[in-house]
Amino acid sequence: NDYYIITNRHVVVKQDNACTNIKLYLGSINLYLPCEIIAYDKKVDIALLKVTTEVLLSVARLGDSSLLKKGRFAVAIGSPYSLESYFNTVTVGHVSSPSRLINEDNYFYKDLTNEYIQIDTTINVGCSGGGLFNLEGELIGINTWKLYDSKENIDNMNFAVPINLVKDLFVHY
């Protein structure tokens, strides 16, 4: 069976070089499976991977991020710090903004505006590429980054790429 995995580009591409030895960790059965990068987008920081296995895997239903409302619950899943020790850590919070446009300077593009789901659901280092779900269990975003600035007393501002944007990018796959 072929399965497709959505994650962040920065998780599988380092300094503009695609990683060639990517393995999907299945913590519930303590198994690593080789995957390949099918496509990625630098601007949006999203990648699509493919894994082939005879192991029957659970598959997330894709939601509709255009239906998100401020104040709705959001559930983030990721594996912070140590993949095997903290596999599939879950944090719960709320949607602060369903469509936050952020102008950012990044390594590849100057003055780029991207759309994100802003959440107060905690995203720790290592949770990049994990899923953001609604209470119906639908994937509504891909956890991407957090804003933290101790000098400005900013904390718990976290961001996910909306799943509708991901669908638009990878519609041909």
Side-chain angles (χ1 to χ4, degrees):
N1 300 320
D2 290 339
Y3 294 91
Y4 291 89
I5 298 112
I6 305 164
T7 190
N8 290 128
R9 178 191 172 276
H10 75 262
V11 171
V12 295
V13 176
K14 305 294 182 198
Q15 298 174 345
D16 230 11
N17 294 313
C19 299
T20 56
N21 189 20
I22 302 169
K23 296 199 188 265
L24 172 68
Y25 179 64
L26 302 175
S28 56
I29 56 176
N30 198 26
L31 175 68
Y32 283 91
L33 296 172
C35 339
E36 65 177 305
I37 300 173
I38 301 298
Y40 61 82
D41 185 281
K42 282 185 195 181
K43 292 188 311 186
V44 182
D45 190 25
I46 287 292
L48 182 67
L49 310 177
K50 181 173 124 180
V51 63
T52 302
T53 180
E54 294 307 313
V55 176
L56 186 59
L57 302 177
S58 297
V59 178
R61 285 183 323 214
L62 301 183
D64 183 349
S65 53
S66 71
L67 300 177
L68 285 176
K69 303 263 189 258
K70 190 180 285 195
R72 295 278 169 95
F73 282 103
V75 179
I77 299 177
S79 301
Y81 307 112
S82 166
L83 178 63
E84 292 174 1
S85 298
Y86 299 104
F87 177 74
N88 277 352
T89 294
V90 174
T91 57
V92 179
H94 300 89
V95 173
S96 301
S97 173
S99 179
R100 178 75 68 204
L101 297 177
I102 297 179
N103 185 300
E104 53 189 310
D105 285 337
N106 69 29
Y107 181 77
F108 300 104
Y109 300 92
K110 296 295 181 206
D111 228 14
L112 171 71
T113 301
N114 271 330
E115 177 185 357
Y116 296 99
I117 301 167
Q118 181 185 344
I119 50 178
D120 70 356
T121 309
T122 302
I123 298 174
N124 291 303
V125 174
C127 288
S128 294
L132 182 68
F133 294 87
N134 60 23
L135 290 184
E136 287 76 39
E138 298 169 326
L139 183 65
I140 55 173
I142 303 299
N143 305 325
T144 301
W145 62 282
K146 69 188 288 177
L147 180 60
Y148 174 79
D149 187 335
S150 61
K151 293 177 187 170
E152 298 293 326
N153 203 23
I154 297 172
D155 192 13
N156 212 24
M157 291 178 64
N158 304 284
F159 300 89
V161 175
I163 198 62
N164 288 9
L165 180 56
V166 176
K167 289 181 201 177
D168 289 346
L169 287 171
F170 299 137
V171 69
H172 295 91
Y173 296 97

